[in-house]
Amino acid sequence: MNAPLPLVATAGRIALDRVSIRVGHGPDAFAAVEEVTLDIAPGEFVCLLGPSGCGKSTLLGALAGHLAPSAGTLRVDGADVAGPSPERGLVFQHHTLFPWRRVIDNVAFGLKMRGEPRAARHAAARELLALVGLDGFAQRYPSQLSGGMQQRVEIARVLLGQPRVLLMDEPFGALDALTRLKMQQLLLDVWSRFGTTVVFVTHDIDEALFLADRILVMSPRPGRIVEDLRLPFARPRDAALSTTADFAALKRHCLALLHHDAPAQPLPRLTPLGAPDVHALQFAI
Amino acid sequence: MRVLRPNPVAWVLPAASLLASVLLWQLLASARPHLGLIDFANAPSPREVLDAGWTLLQSPKLLFHLGHSLWRVFAGFAAAAVAGIALGLAIGRFGWARGTLLPPLEVLRPIPAVAWIPLSVLLFPSSEVSMMFITFIGALFPILLATVHGVEGVDARLVASARSLGARRWRVFAEVIVPGAAPAIVTGLAIGMGTCWFCLVTAEMISGQFGIGYYTWESYTLQNYPNIVVGMLLIGVLGMGSSALIRALGRLAMPWQGAAR
């Protein structure tokens, strides 16, 4: 891939002011995120790092507009977040490609919703597919791709909307180690071209250290930011970074933070759409 | 799990089993045993059935009966498909539809379609329409139920992604909910097609003047015993064939379903 272009992002500022989020219904509702205040600069790559169930995905869901905060304000470029929008693209841990659409039409979906003619949206989709290295797979169905390829298509689909903010919920968590490393490289490469703000949720310290400009460490439920860590590593980065002494020192520091706060029992994973199992079938017939 | 290997003589066992069944039938029909609970005195033999079938095949009566039955099934099934899919999509997706439409349907659902026959004869002056109504009732609930389940089974994350990509309410419905529920709907249609034939044949026996169910019953009253079995076999073939047709059309409409790596 080419060397990253110097890019100065102007859009994609995120501002949270004492944001609290409750998930679940009725007596099962609980505070997943409590009083989070933070600012993310345009073009910044931020990792939310924390134990499973700490509310980092919940925070991401609120940024995407799928969950409403119970208190506080949440703004992107000065405007309150009210519902989902292509400007805030969301990538889930497992792909959400439409099984009934070919890869090219999955990627072009956002443009279809905007009413672009077929030829124009296919041309744009092809360009992005090439960028994520999937030129030859436009006519496949998602089920015909490997897990890593599916996530690449998912990223291409979100990028086509030219988002100001890219929200990623452990997007490589379900991939094998080697594929994950390749995907991290690919993401950094794509990010350096687009210059969007990235908020990347992970519980993998190595991943956060490798990717981020800045790591926000969260406490177990209810999630709070317990540490705001700026990483000194130069870009572009490569796999050798993880063998340096600085990297090891920061990793120890993060481990200590996570261990210090670890709950007695691991909590169930939350999703950007709320508590697990809120969509249980309630069919009477 | 045992892996079934492609076997060059895989058809031998099923064919032998079928042949043995026909032989047993021939044996019972020719020996005409009286076994207390069951009496084979009037049972037609395979040979007689074959002859009767051949005669029917050459007579214009066959197309006449078949045409009537096929038309009734088509009309009842098409109406049930339209109503079942439309109601199912609405009930599965919208709370207001569930609240208003579901209660009366739940009351009607446990009533077998056949139990509707007397009332439908009273309701519809034309016996033709009353028979279509019975096939409609028979197919409606399997289709409705499968559609509702299909809609509820659509992954909430797909809906969330579509909305994040800029799809509004009706686009989400058309682009995500309908194709997401499609496999379940096709299954419901295939099951509904089966119940359609079941209901039609019963309705024709009671209030019909033509049709393959009427033919079967008429054969009994006219003591053309071999024709009873001919009618039965025809009904089986038609039911199986039309369900297979639905599934084949479903595969054509959903090419992604068979897409393997």
Side-chain angles (χ1 to χ4, degrees):
Chain A
M1 301 249 182
N2 298 336
L5 307 164
L7 235 167
V8 182
T10 52
R13 177 175 297 282
I14 300 173
L16 276 71
D17 188 19
R18 280 164 307 178
V19 168
S20 299
I21 308 166
R22 294 181 69 76
V23 298
H25 296 284
D28 295 333
F30 58 90
V33 174
E34 206 162 76
E35 299 254 324
V36 169
T37 298
L38 64 93
D39 263 284
I40 296 173
E44 210 169 14
F45 198 125
V46 173
C47 277
L48 284 176
L49 180 68
S52 200
C54 75
K56 50 197 193 306
S57 297
T58 309
L59 198 57
L60 206 66
L63 279 169
H66 292 301
L67 296 170
S70 49
T73 57
L74 205 156
R75 292 200 171 96
V76 172
D77 291 329
D80 278 317
V81 168
S85 153
E87 293 193 339
R88 284 166 275 114
L90 176 61
V91 175
F92 288 86
Q93 179 173 17
H94 293 280
H95 80 88
T96 59
L97 301 174
F98 306 125
W100 48 86
R101 294 223 168 278
R102 294 180 190 275
V103 163
I104 184 114
D105 287 312
N106 261 294
V107 175
F109 184 82
L111 291 182
K112 187 179 182 191
M113 293 304 105
R114 274 197 244 157
E116 293 270 346
R118 187 183 161 89
R121 56 180 201 252
H122 274 195
R126 266 178 221 289
E127 217 168 288
L128 269 170
L129 277 175
L131 187 75
V132 298
L134 288 176
D135 316 54
F137 296 88
Q139 295 305 319
R140 302 281 186 97
Y141 284 107
S143 62
Q144 296 171 309
L145 304 181
S146 68
M149 291 160 119
Q150 288 165 342
Q151 280 304 51
R152 278 191 269 170
V153 176
E154 181 103 2
I155 291 169
R157 180 171 76 168
V158 163
L159 286 175
L160 198 61
Q162 294 177 312
R164 297 160 182 235
V165 178
L166 184 54
L167 307 165
M168 309 186 89
D169 183 31
E170 303 195 25
F172 311 142
L175 305 176
D176 65 85
L178 195 64
T179 311
R180 183 190 301 205
L181 286 177
K182 283 185 189 159
M183 292 294 289
Q184 290 167 354
Q185 281 287 2
L186 179 97
L187 176 63
L188 286 182
D189 188 71
V190 167
W191 172 67
S192 68
R193 287 157 192 255
F194 281 76
T196 53
T197 309
V198 179
V199 182
F200 188 105
V201 162
T202 183
H203 60 241
D204 180 338
I205 298 173
D206 285 63
E207 185 168 64
L209 286 169
F210 180 69
L211 293 173
D213 291 324
R214 187 178 164 198
I215 297 178
L216 300 170
V217 184
M218 286 182 78
S219 67
R221 193 186 296 171
R224 291 192 197 81
I225 309 275
V226 293
E227 176 112 356
D228 185 344
L229 209 64
R230 285 183 190 276
L231 302 184
F233 310 130
R235 294 186 191 272
R237 298 175 183 174
D238 60 43
L241 174 66
S242 60
T243 57
T244 62
D246 284 351
F247 190 95
L250 278 168
K251 184 173 176 178
R252 266 196 301 280
H253 179 67
C254 290
L255 263 175
L257 277 172
L258 292 181
H259 270 299
H260 178 69
D261 279 329
Q265 281 179 348
L267 293 163
R269 211 183 106 81
L270 301 175
T271 80
L273 302 181
D277 300 323
V278 290
H279 298 286
L281 295 186
Q282 299 165 344
F283 187 50
I285 296 198
Chain B
M1 212 173 80
R2 204 168 69 94
V3 179
L4 287 173
R5 285 199 201 87
N7 186 343
V9 284
W11 53 272
V12 169
L13 199 60
S17 160
L18 278 175
L19 195 68
S21 305
V22 174
L23 277 177
L24 180 68
W25 172 16
Q26 172 68 45
L27 211 68
L28 288 169
S30 52
R32 302 190 184 282
H34 183 79
L35 302 173
L37 272 180
I38 182 166
D39 184 4
F40 286 92
N42 292 315
S45 74
R47 178 78 223 181
E48 289 167 326
V49 170
L50 204 66
D51 287 342
W54 183 245
T55 314
L56 181 67
L57 208 64
Q58 287 166 321
S59 93
K61 268 168 56 187
L62 175 68
L63 274 181
F64 183 70
H65 287 302
L66 275 185
H68 273 86
S69 289
L70 283 171
W71 166 238
R72 287 167 192 154
V73 162
F74 175 77
F77 180 78
V82 170
I85 293 172
L87 287 172
L89 288 174
I91 290 172
R93 186 65 184 153
F94 306 114
W96 56 265
R98 172 180 295 260
T100 52
L101 298 172
L102 201 53
L105 289 168
E106 277 195 82
V107 173
L108 297 180
R109 191 180 70 90
I111 302 169
V114 176
W116 280 86
I117 292 178
L119 184 65
S120 73
V121 170
L122 288 178
L123 283 176
F124 299 100
S126 146
S127 68
E128 202 58 33
V129 177
S130 80
M131 281 184 286
M132 287 173 185
F133 177 72
I134 296 301
T135 58
F136 165 79
I137 291 286
L140 177 67
F141 286 102
I143 296 172
L144 174 73
L145 230 71
T147 307
V148 173
H149 278 300
V151 171
E152 289 183 332
V154 173
D155 189 343
R157 299 173 321 123
L158 292 190
V159 175
S161 267
R163 294 179 63 213
S164 271
L165 292 165
R168 308 221 174 249
R169 190 179 171 96
W170 288 107
R171 295 309 285 276
V172 168
F173 195 79
E175 296 280 351
V176 184
I177 303 296
V178 173
I185 293 175
V186 169
T187 304
L189 289 175
I191 296 170
M193 185 49 102
T195 50
C196 239
W197 280 102
F198 168 79
C199 296
L200 174 77
V201 165
T202 319
E204 279 181 349
M205 285 186 178
I206 292 167
S207 62
Q209 284 165 339
F210 324 100
I212 200 68
Y214 170 78
Y215 168 84
T216 307
W217 189 249
E218 181 203 38
S219 307
Y220 167 74
T221 51
L222 297 181
Q223 301 190 332
N224 291 330
Y225 297 142
N227 294 12
I228 296 176
V229 183
V230 172
M232 287 165 63
L233 290 174
L234 266 176
I235 293 163
V237 167
L238 287 171
M240 198 170 70
S242 42
S243 280
L245 182 70
I246 296 286
R247 274 189 284 267
L249 289 176
R251 275 194 296 276
L252 275 181
M254 301 184 294
W256 73 88
Q257 282 269 297
R261 264 178 210 188

